[in-house]
Amino acid sequence: MIKKFIDRLLGKTSTKGKKPQFGKREEVGVAVHGIDPKLVDERALNVVRTLKNAGFEAYVVGGAVRDLMVGLAPKDFDVATNATPEQVKGLFRRAFIIGRRFRIVHVVYGRGREHEVIEVSTFRAYMDNAAAEQVAGNEKTSKSELAGMKHAVDSSGRVLRDNVWGPQEEDAVRRDFTINAMYYDPETQIVVDYHHGIKDSKNRVIRMIGDPATRYREDPVRIIRAVRFAAKLSGLGFKLEAKTAAPLVKSQELLAEVPQSRLFDEMLKLLQTGHALASIEQLKALGMARGIYPLLDVVVQRAEQAFVRAALRDTDRRVGEGKPVVASFLLACVLWADVRDGWAKRINERQHAHPALQDAIEDVFNSHIGDVSGRGKLGGDMREIWMMQPRFEKRVGSAPFGLVEQARFRAAFDFMRLRAETGEIDEVLADWWQEFSLADDNLRQDMVDQVREEQQQQQRQRAPRVHKAPAPRVSPDAAQAAPSVARDAVSDTQDDQSALSAVADATDAPKKRRRRRRSNGPRNVGEQAPDAGV
């Protein structure tokens, strides 16, 4: 109190610019943190060992340490070191420096789809944003200005460049949540903790390091990260600390200045890390169902629709089983209603089915995807999934054999299967394609032949036929009464032969067929011919 009073007398009314409390370094052994070293990825262990053998500090850091501590299997392993990006790159055969805002190194193991990336970051120094270089625009509008800067912010205080290296204690205070600011050495099995991350992990608390409103302003994407961690860890009882949650809604407006591509990536992390449904529930509970990103608004709005919910649930299941997921499939499911309705509308307007579907897809890209990823690989995959849907109706000739060989057949089939499960199409169709995709060529031909025979039989049953009307049946009593009826019906001027003819007709006697007069005019196709008279 006395110090604050003296500072005010001396005109030191603001504490801005002073270094924060970096925290006290605590080294915690396995008896307390309980991490099983066997669960550490061998490639991450190799990166740590290589850096340490070269004389640098190196630790597994971030979410992997948190997950190991609470009993979850980490999806990714990140490493932090005091080596610069250039020094890290020089130690590995396949290493690439990426990023401008934060320069990091990707160390790559394996090839193709089986490759694994270990992300290596250099300890960052604490830098007072009030002393940083300031630009008026953002990453895109101020690109030339930012080229030579190591620490820069925009007019709102958002960090645009942060590439100043420092000691581990300063790196720790730069991280967002206490449970993500722990450093694990897999060789010594020591966890280094500066901000009571172990305590918060045990108490199931998600707490921001420093002032939450300030940290959200430095990097608004932390708003989305807070929601993601709350969703991911909710099943274990984790909750956002009240002070950490309080500024979230108000801080949402800061996301307007974040590049759309970065928001798109963060949206995919919400939906593709195995907790899509939980993330949507968190957004609703926190009052953030709208306003983060336009496409995410659509996902949240449609999450209760049977087809979209089935797709979200299927995505969570696949992640839980360790199977790959792709953004194109989930987004194709979310936007299918727009494609389907636009397609149907154009067909009703007499447009041909194929171009009608193409035009409907183009409208959806323009209205919901834009230029972020809609014209790249993601957009191409979505387009193929949608364009294949009508082709599943064709199960004769060579069409099925060609379709099953398409690169996106499996994704398109899974999409069609979800449509069947939610009642949009017949499940028999999905079952047929499931069997066809797994069969050999001989069985496939038998299946196609069977479908052709069934369709031909249905056509025969539907074809119009010309029938002769059967002669009316007359009961015995009516037959006995017929002579008197016929005699009453004939005129006195008719001869006996005419009367006998009328009687014979009423009693089912063989009819004398008269020659039918031909008509010169054409008869309508399918019109039933009149019966011949007597």
Side-chain angles (χ1 to χ4, degrees):
M1 290 291 292
I2 296 174
K3 186 178 184 303
K4 289 182 181 178
F5 177 72
I6 294 173
D7 286 342
R8 281 197 297 270
L9 288 177
L10 296 175
K12 299 178 181 179
T13 56
S14 174
T15 58
K16 243 182 183 179
K18 289 192 174 184
K19 285 190 176 182
Q21 294 295 321
F22 292 128
K24 182 181 178 182
R25 178 186 175 102
E26 294 183 24
E27 296 186 357
V28 181
V30 66
V32 176
H33 61 67
I35 293 176
D36 183 354
K38 294 178 182 178
L39 299 178
V40 179
D41 188 282
E42 185 62 33
R43 289 156 290 200
L45 184 60
N46 180 66
V47 170
V48 170
R49 187 181 295 119
T50 301
L51 286 164
K52 291 180 73 174
N53 289 343
F56 299 106
E57 295 179 65
Y59 301 84
V60 174
V61 70
V65 182
R66 175 202 67 219
D67 289 351
L68 288 169
M69 196 172 294
V70 299
L72 296 177
K75 182 182 178 184
D76 301 304
F77 282 84
D78 298 337
V79 171
T81 178
N82 61 346
T84 66
E86 290 76 15
Q87 290 170 329
V88 174
K89 186 177 186 300
L91 293 173
F92 298 93
R93 185 171 61 87
R94 298 179 64 206
F96 308 91
I97 298 176
I98 67 167
R100 290 186 296 270
R101 186 169 176 267
F102 302 125
R103 294 177 69 234
I104 58 178
V105 180
H106 279 180
V107 179
V108 182
Y109 292 87
R111 299 280 181 178
R113 292 187 176 181
E114 303 302 319
H115 79 280
E116 177 76 18
V117 172
I118 304 298
E119 190 173 284
V120 183
S121 61
T122 304
F123 294 152
R124 289 174 293 160
Y126 172 79
M127 299 293 290
D128 185 1
N129 291 335
E133 297 179 89
Q134 191 174 96
V135 297
N138 54 34
E139 286 97 326
K140 189 174 289 186
T141 59
S142 303
K143 189 174 181 179
S144 59
E145 260 188 284
L146 291 166
M149 296 181 181
K150 290 188 175 181
H151 185 219
V153 297
D154 65 11
S155 57
S156 68
R158 182 167 62 94
V159 178
L160 302 181
R161 289 291 183 274
D162 188 4
N163 293 300
V164 182
W165 319 128
Q168 187 184 47
E169 64 174 7
E170 295 189 18
D171 183 74
V173 81
R174 296 298 308 275
R175 296 184 179 272
D176 45 18
F177 304 99
T178 60
I179 58 175
N180 292 343
M182 296 178 286
Y183 303 78
Y184 175 61
D185 184 339
E187 292 189 326
T188 64
Q189 298 187 47
I190 294 293
V191 170
V192 178
D193 185 9
Y194 289 92
H195 298 283
H196 309 295
I198 294 177
K199 179 181 177 182
D200 286 346
S201 294
K202 292 184 180 298
N203 292 335
R204 301 301 194 251
V205 173
I206 303 172
R207 179 169 59 88
M208 181 70 74
I209 298 172
D211 176 59
T214 301
R215 302 307 303 278
Y216 293 141
R217 188 162 54 252
E218 289 173 355
D219 184 4
V221 167
R222 287 176 178 145
I223 297 167
I224 306 175
R225 285 168 60 83
V227 175
R228 178 155 56 90
F229 293 140
K232 177 179 180 178
L233 301 172
S234 61
L236 297 174
F238 278 80
K239 293 184 179 179
L240 287 167
E241 180 210 25
K243 291 181 180 179
T244 300
L248 283 172
V249 175
K250 186 177 179 181
S251 299
Q252 259 188 253
E253 61 188 25
L254 298 170
L255 292 168
E257 295 299 320
V258 177
Q260 293 291 292
S261 58
R262 194 170 177 219
L263 288 178
F264 186 84
D265 291 340
E266 290 296 327
M267 177 196 71
L268 295 184
K269 290 178 183 178
L270 275 178
L271 301 176
Q272 291 191 280
T273 53
H275 308 88
L277 291 171
S279 294
I280 290 170
E281 293 306 314
Q282 278 292 329
L283 288 169
K284 292 178 179 179
L286 293 168
M288 301 169 66
R290 295 187 62 83
I292 289 181
Y293 185 67
L295 187 52
L296 181 60
D297 293 347
V298 176
V299 177
V300 175
Q301 179 185 355
R302 298 181 180 180
E304 295 304 319
Q305 295 179 5
F307 184 59
V308 176
R309 195 165 190 83
L312 292 167
R313 189 183 301 112
D314 190 62
T315 300
D316 286 349
R317 176 188 62 79
R318 288 183 65 86
V319 174
E321 294 175 355
K323 296 179 179 178
V325 294
V326 290
S328 55
F329 181 85
L330 180 58
L331 295 181
C333 291
V334 171
L335 299 177
W336 170 241
D338 297 314
V339 173
R340 182 192 60 209
D341 295 347
W343 184 25
K345 179 182 176 182
R346 285 169 171 80
I347 289 177
N348 289 336
E349 293 171 352
R350 306 297 182 182
Q351 188 174 348
H352 191 273
H354 186 74
L357 180 55
Q358 288 180 316
D359 290 348
I361 291 172
E362 197 63 30
D363 281 354
V364 169
F365 277 127
N366 291 335
S367 59
H368 290 301
I369 301 292
D371 294 329
V372 177
S373 293
R375 301 299 183 267
K377 184 179 184 302
L378 179 140
D381 291 349
M382 293 172 66
R383 197 182 301 273
E384 285 191 62
I385 289 172
W386 287 330
M387 291 299 296
M388 283 188 193
Q389 296 310 301
R391 296 176 64 182
F392 284 109
E393 301 290 341
K394 301 175 182 179
R395 295 182 290 157
V396 295
S398 62
F401 295 91
L403 182 58
V404 81
E405 297 300 325
Q406 295 293 315
R408 292 287 167 271
F409 169 79
R410 178 51 56 180
F413 168 75
D414 288 343
F415 187 93
M416 185 266 291
R417 185 195 62 198
L418 280 181
R419 292 174 62 206
E421 289 177 0
T422 53
E424 184 178 322
I425 58 175
D426 196 335
E427 284 196 49
V428 172
L429 185 65
D431 293 341
W432 189 92
W433 278 102
Q434 174 72 18
E435 184 178 354
F436 185 84
S437 66
L438 300 175
D440 58 29
D441 286 343
N442 291 330
L443 180 56
R444 285 179 178 179
Q445 188 60 56
D446 291 343
M447 293 177 68
V448 170
D449 292 343
Q450 182 180 358
V451 171
R452 184 179 63 250
E453 291 174 6
E454 291 173 355
Q455 291 180 353
Q456 289 174 349
Q457 184 177 359
Q458 291 171 0
Q459 289 174 356
R460 286 194 295 269
Q461 291 174 350
R462 286 196 300 264
R465 295 181 181 180
V466 177
H467 295 283
K468 180 179 178 181
R473 293 184 177 276
V474 182
S475 64
D477 294 339
Q480 292 177 3
S484 60
V485 172
R487 279 192 294 271
D488 292 340
V490 295
S491 169
D492 292 339
T493 60
Q494 290 178 311
D495 57 16
D496 293 340
Q497 183 63 40
S498 298
L500 291 173
S501 296
V503 172
D505 185 43
T507 57
D508 276 342
K511 298 179 176 62
K512 182 179 179 180
R513 301 184 65 83
R514 286 192 310 197
R515 195 181 195 113
R516 196 165 157 286
R517 181 179 298 172
R518 293 184 177 274
S519 172
N520 293 328
R523 191 193 311 160
N524 292 333
V525 177
E527 181 180 338
Q528 186 174 342
D531 291 334
V534 291

